[in-house]
Amino acid sequence: MSMNRFTIEETNLLSIYHEGSKAQLTENINAALPYMDADMRELAKRALSKVDALTEEEFAELAIYAAEEV
């Protein structure tokens, strides 16, 4: 797998919008961007850039689950 590492915050964001495919995840986040505050929008854009860099195979291997609170 590539060296694209996701932070806990990025993984949690991805878990909210993940519905199965890379394309659907990207579409869902892009649709939500206008409704996010500036900080969340930057987080989402950073996560999207990492997702975009993944191949379909790498994306399929990702475990996208919300992190439990510690």
Side-chain angles (χ1 to χ4, degrees), residues 37-60:
D37 67 20
D39 291 338
M40 187 61 71
R41 197 168 23 255
E42 287 306 311
L43 175 69
K45 287 178 181 180
R46 189 172 62 241
L48 278 176
S49 71
K50 291 181 181 182
V51 168
D52 287 343
L54 297 173
T55 65
E56 290 294 334
E57 183 178 285
E58 289 170 332
F59 180 81

Side-chain angles (χ1 to χ4, degrees), residues 12-26:
N12 285 341
L13 179 73
L14 296 178
S15 73
I16 294 167
Y17 295 100
H18 183 20
E19 292 184 359
S21 73
K22 178 179 171 180
Q24 188 64 55
L25 172 68
T26 300

Side-chain angles (χ1 to χ4, degrees), residues 5-15 43 46 50 65-70:
R5 302 227 174 197
F6 293 92
T7 65
I8 292 171
E9 295 82 6
E10 291 166 344
T11 302
N12 285 341
L13 179 73
L14 296 178
S15 73
L43 175 69
R46 189 172 62 241
K50 291 181 181 182
Y65 302 102
E68 295 190 26
E69 292 185 41
V70 180

